[in-house]
Amino acid sequence: MTTLIIHRDPELVRSSKAVENHRSTSHPHHHHGWWWKTLLAGLALWIVTIVVTAVTSNVNLVPTLILLGSFLVPFCVVLFVVERVQGNISTLQLILAFFVGGIFGVLGASLLEASLQQSIWTYGLVGLIEEFVKGVLLVIIGWRVVPKTAAQGALLGATIGAGFAAFESAGYAFNAAITAHGINLVSLLQTEVIRAILAPVGHVLWTALLGAVIFGAARLRDRYRWSWWIPVAYLGAALLHALWDSMSGLASLVAVLVTGNAVQQLTQDGFLLAGTAAAVASLSTVLYIVGLAIVSVVGIVALWRILRHYQLKQRAIGAHASAMSGAETD
């Protein structure tokens, strides 16, 4: 039965041949190290801008700091994708996906999250909303991408996630810089550094995971195909997103529960003593870092397993289709 389906599916045979052609013929822009060269050059420019801003106290340079610090790492992710992408995705399409996907992503998420009230479910709802918006954009932007493979979906998803992360980080940096006493340069830089370091294992990773499953389910065909693994991947990405956002609160809660008489002091006095508060703060910081690391590793391993799974399937389908084509020729 399987042989008959593959034999009579010209789209599948055509797509499998296209994959082999793209594997053997790389694009001229591949493997030039643009992403790390841009990262180093951008980092140098960012440091120079910090020094000039601090020396001159020129607030007109603050937007430059915000844009450079927020977009540097996400844009390097795009360059990383450009060097590895195959199929009919052009560099211009990836750059448009970065900007258009990022802008519409933050706008759509902002509209859907406007009516949310702070509750125990807030982070979960935020994860569901933002991953849904990015998933919709991924499907729209990737509609004409052929052949559809898990690797292509992961790369395109990473690009859209990078755009979302860049514009979102710019907003956080702006809020950190503006205070009642003027521009807080230290707070701005701290926000940019933390978000830049975490960007590749945040929105980039979650959308790449979802994209890998959506495109992988197409099984080398030109059109999307439904699979129950798509909602599973969506819920998984949303869960990782929610855990990431709520990690600070979770770490603080666990730190309070396991630190000495912290619970008793809060119950009786309503506040922590200085020594207990310091111990809770230190443990909370450690747990926060460990928690983010665990979420990141889970996401990376999940993406690797997904790509590996679909890669083996695609090889089997391609080999079978080639064998059937050879049999027809004979």
Side-chain angles (χ1 to χ4, degrees):
M1 180 64 68
T2 304
T3 303
L4 183 61
I5 292 174
I6 295 177
H7 179 67
R8 294 186 176 179
D9 192 344
E11 181 184 355
L12 178 57
V13 175
R14 183 174 65 253
S15 298
S16 64
K17 290 180 178 179
V19 172
E20 294 301 324
N21 291 336
H22 287 301
R23 283 175 181 169
S24 61
T25 305
S26 61
H27 291 282
H29 56 236
H30 282 185
H31 310 304
H32 289 293
W34 290 357
W35 72 271
W36 64 264
K37 295 174 183 177
T38 302
L39 181 62
L40 293 179
L43 180 61
L45 290 173
W46 183 68
I47 294 173
V48 171
T49 306
I50 293 172
V51 173
V52 174
T53 303
V55 171
T56 63
S57 298
N58 185 358
V59 295
N60 290 332
L61 294 177
V62 172
T64 303
L65 268 181
I66 292 176
L67 292 176
L68 186 56
S70 301
F71 278 78
L72 177 58
V73 172
F75 189 71
C76 288
V77 171
V78 177
L79 295 181
F80 180 86
V81 172
V82 166
E83 295 176 7
R84 286 156 180 80
V85 74
Q86 295 177 334
N88 66 345
I89 308 179
S90 67
T91 302
L92 178 60
Q93 286 175 315
L94 288 172
I95 294 176
L96 288 176
F98 174 78
F99 285 102
V100 175
I103 293 173
F104 277 97
V106 294
L107 291 179
S110 180
L111 289 173
L112 294 175
E113 294 170 5
S115 59
L116 289 183
Q117 302 294 328
Q118 189 66 34
S119 69
I120 191 174
W121 306 108
T122 299
Y123 291 119
L125 292 174
V126 168
L128 289 171
I129 289 172
E130 294 189 358
E131 296 311 313
F132 173 77
V133 171
K134 290 185 293 179
V136 170
L137 291 169
L138 172 66
V139 170
I140 295 173
I141 294 174
W143 193 268
R144 295 186 178 276
V145 175
V146 292
K148 287 180 171 58
T149 67
Q152 295 286 80
L155 291 171
L156 186 59
T159 301
I160 295 173
F164 192 101
F167 285 98
E168 186 181 60
S169 294
Y172 278 104
F174 176 79
N175 286 329
I178 305 300
T179 67
H181 305 288
I183 302 297
N184 189 332
L185 187 60
V186 174
S187 178
L188 165 63
L189 297 179
Q190 287 177 342
T191 301
E192 288 192 333
V193 169
I194 293 174
R195 292 191 65 85
I197 293 174
L198 299 178
V201 289
H203 286 290
V204 173
L205 176 60
W206 305 325
T207 318
L209 191 154
L210 182 57
V213 175
I214 292 176
F215 275 55
R219 296 188 179 183
L220 303 180
R221 291 174 172 82
D222 296 348
R223 298 180 180 180
Y224 295 114
R225 294 184 65 192
W226 170 256
S227 169
W228 285 107
W229 286 112
I230 294 176
V232 170
Y234 163 66
L235 293 175
L239 177 60
L240 292 176
H241 190 154
L243 289 173
W244 185 278
D245 289 347
S246 62
M247 192 56 64
S248 178
L250 292 175
S252 298
L253 176 61
V254 173
V256 168
L257 293 176
V258 301
T259 301
N261 299 322
V263 175
Q264 183 179 359
Q265 291 177 17
L266 287 173
T267 303
Q268 295 178 350
D269 304 325
F271 61 87
L272 297 176
L273 298 177
T276 306
V280 169
S282 298
L283 180 58
S284 176
T285 301
V286 174
L287 291 176
Y288 176 72
I289 296 173
V290 171
L292 292 185
I294 292 174
V295 173
S296 302
V297 170
V298 170
I300 292 171
V301 171
L303 179 60
W304 178 81
R305 290 291 299 272
I306 290 169
L307 291 174
R308 181 63 177 169
H309 169 75
Y310 283 113
Q311 183 183 39
L312 293 176
K313 276 194 171 184
Q314 289 160 10
R315 285 179 180 176
I317 292 173
H320 205 157
S322 298
M324 295 306 299
S325 298
E328 285 184 351
T329 302
D330 295 337

